[in-house]
């Protein structure tokens, strides 16, 4: 193994392992998975592993033992191990924002200590968890009353991006465990339709709003929160009603009280929790109300078990590391532009959307931590839908299109809703798709099945399309925590290799500023100083709005 340069000091493309991978990829591109499996009867065992109750089969990837060794060299030469240690220590690895990145502290057991600037953040986390548990129990039992004395029956989370996608995804994923006499809704879009449709059939006297915003200044969220306040006051009249119908999840106590929410009803988190890494912080309050404090803690334990695995397992047996390296392999050496996330579980219907933010906001960067422009591709586009629905729409392109789309398949051994042979059919589809993508169907096989020669090319499947298979016993809160942590650390691994800051989001910040400039221009007749296209669009809106 070659010597390891200090992390980040050598440009990625000059690392010996990178150069070796470039050479190796040339030979491997012509290898077919059919042959790789035929040559090695042990392949499925060689390229699969089980960790923390998750089974990971990565044998249907276009790799050999040499590929794996080179990718692991790349991880070592990139200083992955040192970067992992730095994150867990609380070093300020989010360099452009000069912040620690400590979502792992959100699920650390009470006995653990992580000290940042002289403060034990684990103790802070547990104090907030206690407060959340107490509040959730009061809402769930009906003890928390609205202003008129009616119990809360509806919970509406108002937030956007990291303050929305996690709570929505987790609510959907864990609906099976939720308290069914409570209604949960999520309002994110500043489009008035989102709030109007969420509130239209609800009684303000029975509705609790959770205003979720790390900064408490986000235009969309504050606009929706103000409309919610007006909606409550319209029916309940008295401004004192706000205290019983609004709570806040935020890092910004000053803005929370300015809005009129008592800071006693604020659940705190900290600047070392990134928005897209916050669904297990106070931002998860709606999840905790839905599934209860005990299940929420089980979810945290699931996260923590993968954190420990990521931190301690050798790189070669480290599930998130392997997943991250495979994504680097396809993105940088096979020209793959996208990754499909295909959960075979209806409860995970929002999981691809959640991962879209986690992965694309984290690794959609083109400047390295040392400020140079990258000379290679970084974060791929993540997308997906639950199986089997996707099979009847976009899978065609994955099977027979011209693009290489590595897939992550996710499945469970047992259904939460056993119904006839539904689960066998679902799982048969899951396994069959991965098999067909890898092995395809040759023209000879097609002709042997009686297809006329002219039609045979259309019914031929090239195969050699890579996929991972991730299996767990059943979708529980704990397993959901494990799956999310798996992708968080997968993203981390990719970011370290690509030498980018996976924890800032300057693109999102830009969006927040740009709209603020145009809002007043839409309301006035002031002269415009944009480009001719933007000026014309604003003029058109000014002329046609009622
Ligand atoms: C996430 C991003 C972004 C953020 C939203 C909402 O990592 O920073 O999606 O979560 O812009 O921000 P607030 O929580 O501050 O309202």
């Amino acid at each position: 193994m070659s010597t390891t340069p200090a992390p980040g000091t050598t440009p990625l493309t000059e690392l010996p392992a990178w150069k070796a991978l470039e050479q190796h990829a040339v030979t491997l591109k012509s290898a077919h998975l059919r042959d790789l499996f035929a040559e090695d009867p042990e392949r499925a065992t060689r390229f699969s592993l089980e960790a923390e109750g998750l089974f990971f089969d990565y044998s249907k990837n276009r790799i050999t033992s040499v590929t794996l060794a080179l990718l692991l060299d790349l991880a070592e030469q990139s200083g992955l191990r040192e970067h992992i240690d730095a994150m867990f220590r609380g070093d300020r690895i989010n360099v452009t924002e000069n912040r620690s990145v400590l979502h792992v502290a959100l699920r650390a057991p009470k006995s653990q200590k992580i000290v940042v600037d002289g403060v034990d953040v684990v103790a802070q986390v547990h104090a907030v968890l206690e407060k959340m548990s107490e509040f959730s129990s009061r809402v769930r039992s009906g003890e928390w009353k609205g202003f008129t004395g009616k119990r809360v029956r509806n919970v509406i989370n108002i937030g956007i991006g990291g303050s929305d996608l996690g709570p929505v995804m987790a609510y959907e994923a864990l609906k099976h465990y939720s308290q069914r006499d409570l209604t949960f809704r999520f309002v994110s879009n500043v489009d008035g339709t989102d709030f109007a449709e969420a509130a239209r059939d609800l009684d303000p006297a029975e509705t609790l709003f959770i205003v979720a915003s790390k900064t408490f200044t986000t235009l969309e969220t504050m606009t929706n929160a103000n409309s919610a306040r007006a909606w409550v006051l319209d029916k309940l009249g008295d401004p004192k009603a706000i205290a019983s119908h609004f709570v806040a999840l935020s890092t910004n106590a000053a803005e929370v009280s300015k809005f009129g929410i008592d800071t006693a009803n604020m659940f705190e988190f900290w600047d070392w929790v990134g928005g897209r890494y916050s669904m297990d912080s106070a931002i998860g309050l709606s999840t905790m109300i839905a599934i209860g404090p005990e299940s929420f803690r089980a979810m945290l334990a699931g996260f923590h078990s993968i954190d420990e695995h990521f931190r301690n397992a050798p790189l070669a047996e480290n599930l998130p590391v392997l997943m991250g390296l495979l994504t680097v392999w396809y993105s940088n050496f096979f020209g793959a532009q996208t990754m499909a996330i295909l959960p075979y579980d209806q409860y995970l219907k929002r999981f691809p959307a959640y991962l879209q933010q986690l992965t694309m906001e984290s690794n959609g960067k083109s400047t390295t931590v040392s400020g140079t422009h990258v000379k290679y591709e970084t974060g791929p586009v993540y997308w997906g839908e639950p199986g089997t629905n996707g099979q009847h729409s976009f899978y065609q392109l994955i099977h027979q299109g011209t693009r290489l789309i590595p897939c992550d398949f996710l499945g469970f051994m047992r259904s939460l809703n056993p119904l006839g042979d539904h689960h066998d059919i679902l799982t048969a589809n899951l396994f069959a798709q991965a098999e067909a993508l890898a092995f395809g169907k040759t023209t000879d096989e097609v002709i042997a099945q009686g297809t006329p020669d002219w039609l045979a090319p259309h019914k031929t499947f090239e195969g050699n399309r890579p996929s991972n298979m991730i299996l767990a016993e059943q979708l529980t809160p704990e397993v959901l925590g494990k799956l999310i942590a798996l992708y968080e650390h997968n993203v981390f691994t990719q970011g370290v290799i690509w030498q980018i800051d996976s924890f800032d989001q300057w693109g999102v910040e830009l969006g927040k500023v740009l709209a603020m400039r145009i809002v007043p221009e839409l309301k006035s007749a002031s002269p415009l100083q944009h480009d001719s296209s933007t000026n014309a669009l604003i003029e058109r809106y000014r002329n046609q709005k009622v």
Side-chain angles (χ1 to χ4, degrees), residues 467-480:
S467 67
N468 291 321
M469 179 71 67
I470 301 163
L471 300 177
E473 227 170 271
Q474 197 161 40
L475 180 56
T476 59
E478 191 178 352
V479 165
L480 182 71

Side-chain angles (χ1 to χ4, degrees), residues 160-163 213-215 218 274-276 357 361 505 508 512:
I160 197 164
S163 301
S213 177
K214 182 173 169 180
T215 53
T218 305
R276 56 195 173 276
Q357 182 193 27
E361 207 168 272
Q505 55 283 313
V508 183
K512 292 186 181 182

Side-chain angles (χ1 to χ4, degrees), residues 133-362:
S133 303
E134 201 244 340
F135 179 75
S136 303
S137 302
R138 289 178 70 192
V139 174
R140 286 164 63 83
S141 68
E143 189 194 324
W144 180 277
K145 299 275 191 291
F147 186 62
T148 65
K150 284 189 177 176
R151 68 171 289 187
V152 166
R153 303 225 168 257
N154 318 304
V155 176
I156 301 187
N157 187 83
I158 296 180
I160 197 164
S163 301
D164 167 70
L165 285 158
V168 182
M169 180 276 292
Y171 172 66
E172 292 295 342
L174 301 176
K175 206 180 223 167
H176 180 79
Y177 304 90
S178 69
Q179 186 166 316
R180 301 289 185 151
D181 63 354
L182 289 172
T183 296
F184 290 85
R185 300 217 173 132
F186 299 84
V187 174
S188 55
N189 200 329
V190 74
D191 182 343
T193 299
D194 206 7
F195 179 79
E197 286 293 338
R200 62 182 290 279
D201 56 344
L202 304 183
D203 177 0
E206 298 183 336
T207 303
L208 174 74
F209 287 95
I210 300 179
V211 186
S213 177
K214 182 173 169 180
T215 53
F216 231 72
T217 53
T218 305
L219 182 59
E220 291 90 334
T221 300
M222 297 328 294
T223 306
N224 277 318
N226 281 314
S227 297
R229 182 169 51 188
W231 182 76
V232 169
L233 291 180
D234 186 44
K235 171 87 187 280
L236 304 182
D238 194 335
K240 286 203 217 81
I242 301 303
S244 331
H245 292 271
F246 284 82
V247 298
L249 320 176
S250 189
T251 57
N252 192 344
E255 286 297 325
V256 168
S257 38
K258 230 199 256 171
F259 180 86
I261 297 178
D262 186 348
T263 45
N265 296 336
M266 168 179 151
F267 299 83
E268 192 193 1
F269 60 113
W270 307 272
D271 74 354
W272 42 261
V273 185
R276 56 195 173 276
Y277 296 87
S278 68
M279 55 83 61
D280 49 341
S281 70
I283 291 293
L285 185 66
S286 58
T287 314
M288 194 192 266
I289 297 174
I291 64 173
E294 211 174 300
S295 293
F296 193 85
R297 283 179 193 267
M299 182 181 81
L300 295 182
F303 271 101
H304 181 66
S305 71
I306 293 294
D307 293 345
E308 288 297 291
H309 167 78
F310 183 53
R311 187 185 195 178
N312 299 319
L315 299 185
E317 292 157 30
N318 197 310
L319 239 138
V321 169
L322 292 173
M323 287 177 80
L325 291 175
L326 286 166
T327 301
V328 168
W329 176 233
Y330 293 119
S331 301
N332 298 122
F333 301 99
F334 279 73
Q337 298 285 329
T338 83
M339 282 281 313
I341 304 291
L342 308 167
Y344 276 62
D345 191 297
Q346 188 60 20
Y347 284 125
L348 290 183
K349 65 180 179 196
R350 296 290 293 168
F351 196 58
Y354 172 77
L355 289 187
Q356 220 160 44
Q357 182 193 27
L358 181 70
T359 57
M360 291 165 72
E361 207 168 272
S362 296

